[in-house]
Amino acid sequence: MNDIDIHDLIDSYKEIGTSTIGHLTGEGYLPDITPLNPCTATIVGRVLTVQLTSDNTDVINQALIQAAPNDVLCIDAQVLGITACWGALRTCAAIYEKLSAVIIIGQATDSVQIQQLGFPVFAQGISAVTTFKSDQAQGVLASDIAYRFAEQTATIHSGDIAMMDNDGVFILPIDVAQQLLPDCQKKHEEDEVKFQLFFEAYRNNQLDKLFESWVCPSEVIKN
């Protein structure tokens, strides 16, 4: 992996939607994580993991300070159940620290304020119940996260690459992301050509002419 340019890899995946990745693999997909804000572009960044072990969320503040610009915080808040560990003020801190996004395996709160801020926050859900100052055991920074949802399982490591947009979230090890990249780029380019052809014909009321030129339209436009 020493010859992989992480910045080039991240930039390359910014041109690829998560649905394109999902055509090629289900590995690393987090099926119940959705954006709190509409996400019209693909956001990509290196992951810094945070694992909560109690209702003490001080480690999140530590992570915000230690994260590098453009990193993506991935917070394992499964231990909290319905209680939210992330809200508007921490979103303000993430913006100040120049993070790319935050992924919460758990709940967020202050959804209206987060939408006003426009910062990409992805979570399992929204809750009005939130954490407060606690003297319980503090969580762990940069530890592996065991993600499970129904039959989907994944292990998330600090240093992995997260790709997310309005359709969902993938988190992949760097070497896996590198191996998938050529096929993802090829699929993206093929689908983009088909879509643009259709869109231009649709806009100019020339769909019949377009489909007459395709030998088997259903094969051309299938997912």
Side-chain angles (χ1 to χ4, degrees):
M1 292 199 314
N2 292 334
D3 60 344
I4 297 176
D5 188 313
I6 304 304
H7 298 295
D8 284 349
L9 186 64
I10 288 172
D11 287 343
S12 295
Y13 270 102
K14 288 179 180 178
E15 303 299 320
I16 298 168
T18 58
S19 63
T20 298
I21 302 170
H23 273 291
L24 301 172
T25 184
E27 180 180 352
Y29 176 54
L30 311 186
D32 61 336
I33 307 296
T34 57
L36 270 63
N37 304 314
C39 188
T40 58
T42 304
I43 300 165
V44 187
R46 195 193 302 230
V47 168
L48 175 61
T49 61
V50 181
Q51 186 174 44
L52 300 181
T53 56
S54 73
D55 61 1
N56 183 339
T57 62
D58 288 348
V59 69
I60 297 177
N61 300 334
Q62 180 185 350
L64 283 163
I65 294 169
Q66 292 196 13
N70 303 314
D71 276 356
V72 174
L73 286 191
C74 182
I75 303 169
D76 179 0
Q78 296 174 85
V79 69
L80 297 182
I82 65 167
T83 301
C85 68
W86 188 273
L89 294 182
R90 279 182 166 150
T91 302
C92 292
I95 292 170
Y96 177 77
E97 298 294 345
K98 298 181 173 60
L99 300 187
S100 288
V102 172
I103 300 166
I104 305 157
I105 306 174
Q107 310 300 308
T109 193
D110 301 331
S111 58
V112 171
Q113 291 91 336
I114 290 173
Q115 288 168 3
Q116 290 174 332
L117 290 166
F119 181 80
V121 175
F122 294 73
Q124 286 178 321
I126 298 169
S127 175
V129 180
T130 65
T131 57
F132 49 87
K133 195 66 178 176
S134 171
D135 59 2
Q136 298 297 311
Q138 185 170 310
V140 183
L141 185 63
S143 67
D144 293 349
I145 294 174
Y147 170 88
R148 297 181 182 86
F149 180 80
E151 297 181 357
Q152 188 79 356
T153 62
T155 301
I156 301 168
H157 315 272
S158 269
D160 286 351
I161 300 296
M163 307 87 159
M164 65 213 90
D165 60 19
N166 221 51
D167 294 330
V169 176
F170 277 88
I171 299 180
L172 296 172
I174 290 172
D175 57 341
V176 174
Q178 177 70 11
Q179 290 165 10
L180 280 173
L181 181 59
D183 288 339
C184 285
Q185 290 173 321
K186 182 174 182 289
K187 176 66 175 170
H188 169 75
E189 291 168 3
E190 291 172 349
D191 287 353
E192 188 64 18
V193 168
K194 295 174 188 176
F195 178 79
Q196 290 303 326
L197 283 171
F198 181 90
F199 186 74
E200 287 299 317
Y202 175 64
R203 188 170 60 179
N204 294 298
N205 197 27
Q206 295 180 338
L207 287 181
D208 288 341
K209 182 178 179 180
L210 173 67
F211 275 72
E212 285 171 3
S213 69
W214 287 346
V215 176
C216 185
S218 64
E219 284 298 310
V220 175
I221 64 174
K222 70 178 181 179
N223 287 339

